[in-house]
Amino acid sequence: MNQETNIGWGLIGASTIARQYMVEAIRVQKGNFVQAVMSSQQERADRFAADCAIPAAYSSIEALLADPKVQAVYISTTNELHHDQVLAAAAAGKHVLCEKPLALNTEDALEMVRACQKAGVVMATNHHLRNAATHRKMRELIQAGAIGKPLFARVFHAVYLPPHLQGWRLDKPQAGGGVILDITVHDVDTLRFTLDSELVEVVGMTSSASMAKEGLEDGVMAVMRFENGVMAQIHDAFTVKHGGHGIEYHGEAGSLIGRNVMSQQPVGEVLLRNAEGETQIAIAHEGLYIRGVATFCAAMQGTGRPSATAADGVKSLAGALAVVHACKTGSRQAVRSLTIEENSP
Ligand code: NDP
């Protein structure tokens, strides 16, 4: 995937995820380098650039997009900003790797995809879990018939939001805060990927136990039905310190148990349980964000497709938004069915 290139990246957003994972994930790709970072505050951009040895620091998107060395952007600002920033990047002819949730509503997300298609640039969504060797192995096993016909899935993703991230996610509805747009959107994407099926309908309930304010939720339980008939239950939270995390798939002939797999780290284990007993599945772990950027680089070169496309980002967002509406209305919510052309430059 890593062919010889010379791609300069601009980081839109001086964020935690950019600092912790993405600068390195870009730098390890052959021929790719981080040219610039942009923050709404010049001081924060300067500090980020100095800390991460990035040559240029800007306080406006116009300045970053005007940098001739920037050919691709990674957008990791708060969620309400993604839409306008993707449109601006597309208009400037830059390839776009955008954070999830792509936008706060499906129409905006679709507009972002169309803008990138029109501009002839690659757009992808940074859903990291599809890049995990654990989830990829479970998908492969299900497709190979290891559990027979899949019937049910269970997602255990109730975790603790660390103190340094206890900001806009908890008190800014206008920034797309709340656990559903933060975590459930990843669950939906992971289930869509592993089951290779689209989400059809959902029911759910939320809680605001102790952290979330301003009408936002810090816990959610939902039940989902997929096109292939699989029912999934999800449990997501910001408030659970010691629950652990994982995912299970139960089929007519066996069950797959993924423990410690809803992680940003290349960790976790997969167990297959069937009539023969329990088998620990061998997993060749690799960096999730590194693999995600590698697939994006291949797409920029026209030699592959991103692991989570722009269309995946829209569909997974539509699923998460259906959970939001189902919880608000207390009713069963159909997920909007979307046919989205893949954008290949
Ligand atoms: P952060 O809160 O770290 O950063 C978001 C924005 O907040 C930044 O762009 C920055 O604005 C501002 N900010 C950062 N630090 C400060 C500070 N000290 N004081 C004031 N403002 C600050 O968010 P995350 O990195 O957690 O998330 C960013 C995006 O990435 C979101 O869309 C989120 O959903 C997504 N995400 C995705 C993950 C994944 O695995 N795919 C994991 C984590 C997050 P400015 O740029 O103007 O400086």
Side-chain angles (χ1 to χ4, degrees):
M1 267 181 239
N2 292 330
Q3 294 178 4
E4 197 64 56
T5 50
N6 199 21
I7 301 278
W9 286 68
L11 309 179
I12 298 180
S15 68
T16 308
I17 174 88
R19 186 186 282 269
Q20 286 187 336
Y21 291 99
M22 297 305 288
V23 168
E24 188 217 352
I26 292 166
R27 283 186 172 149
V28 299
Q29 315 296 331
K30 203 169 177 189
N32 286 252
F33 62 96
V34 181
Q35 163 63 16
V37 59
M38 179 233 130
S39 164
S40 57
Q41 306 294 316
Q42 185 67 48
E43 196 193 333
R44 202 156 54 235
D46 288 340
R47 203 173 333 118
F48 193 107
D51 291 349
C52 301
I54 297 170
Y58 302 111
S59 62
S60 80
I61 189 168
E62 292 77 16
L64 179 128
L65 294 174
D67 185 325
K69 288 193 177 153
V70 170
Q71 285 162 268
V73 296
Y74 165 61
I75 297 177
S76 64
T77 47
T78 50
N79 305 326
E80 84 285 15
L81 300 175
H82 298 171
H83 169 260
D84 288 0
Q85 291 170 338
V86 168
L87 295 194
K94 315 290 181 185
H95 300 293
V96 180
L97 176 57
C98 185
E99 267 307 339
K100 47 49 67 170
L102 283 185
L104 302 188
N105 63 68
T106 312
E107 278 316 316
D108 278 1
L110 285 168
E111 194 185 352
M112 292 151 74
V113 177
R114 284 194 289 264
C116 288
Q117 282 167 347
K118 194 168 158 221
V121 295
V122 175
M123 177 183 168
T125 316
N126 205 29
H127 277 301
H128 60 303
L129 291 170
R130 310 173 158 241
N131 294 296
T134 48
H135 293 286
R136 302 181 66 72
K137 181 58 82 177
M138 286 188 272
R139 173 182 152 104
E140 191 186 303
L141 287 167
I142 290 170
Q143 290 188 346
I147 63 168
K149 180 178 159 53
L151 302 172
F152 299 104
R154 298 199 288 216
V155 182
F156 307 89
H157 210 163
V159 293
Y160 187 68
L161 188 66
H164 68 279
L165 294 182
Q166 291 177 19
W168 57 269
R169 283 176 174 82
L170 299 175
D171 61 9
K172 288 220 168 63
Q174 68 277 19
V179 77
I180 299 175
L181 286 185
D182 200 50
I183 297 183
T184 309
V185 69
H186 279 311
D187 299 346
V188 172
D189 191 69
T190 306
L191 290 165
R192 288 183 52 247
F193 170 72
T194 307
L195 295 168
D196 199 14
S197 186
E198 293 302 334
L199 182 51
V200 175
E201 56 178 349
V202 301
V203 292
M205 290 174 79
T206 58
S207 62
S208 294
S210 52
M211 282 184 166
K213 304 183 185 82
E214 304 295 332
L216 288 173
E217 76 289 345
D218 53 27
V220 60
M221 285 185 165
V223 175
M224 310 173 163
R225 192 190 306 279
F226 284 78
E227 230 164 41
N228 63 359
V230 169
M231 278 179 67
Q233 72 181 35
I234 60 133
H235 176 202
D236 301 338
F238 286 149
T239 48
V240 176
K241 282 186 177 155
H242 306 291
H245 50 82
I247 201 162
E248 297 176 357
Y249 296 94
H250 303 284
E252 282 178 347
S255 290
L256 281 168
I257 316 293
R259 289 201 190 98
N260 197 26
V261 296
M262 308 307 282
S263 174
Q264 293 177 287
Q265 306 290 336
V267 295
E269 55 189 55
V270 175
L271 192 79
L272 172 65
R273 192 182 292 141
N274 58 18
E276 276 83 57
E278 289 188 348
T279 311
Q280 189 81 32
I281 303 296
I283 303 289
H285 289 291
E286 62 180 313
L288 283 65
Y289 298 100
I290 292 173
R291 187 181 183 283
V293 177
T295 65
F296 185 83
C297 291
M300 286 195 287
Q301 292 165 44
T303 59
R305 72 195 286 275
S307 51
T309 61
D312 286 316
V314 182
K315 290 176 185 176
S316 298
L317 172 65
L321 290 170
V323 176
V324 170
H325 294 306
C327 294
K328 272 198 182 132
T329 57
S331 62
R332 187 183 292 218
Q333 184 75 33
V335 179
R336 185 169 162 191
S337 165
L338 296 159
T339 308
I340 304 165
E341 218 180 289
E342 293 293 346
N343 64 324
S344 47

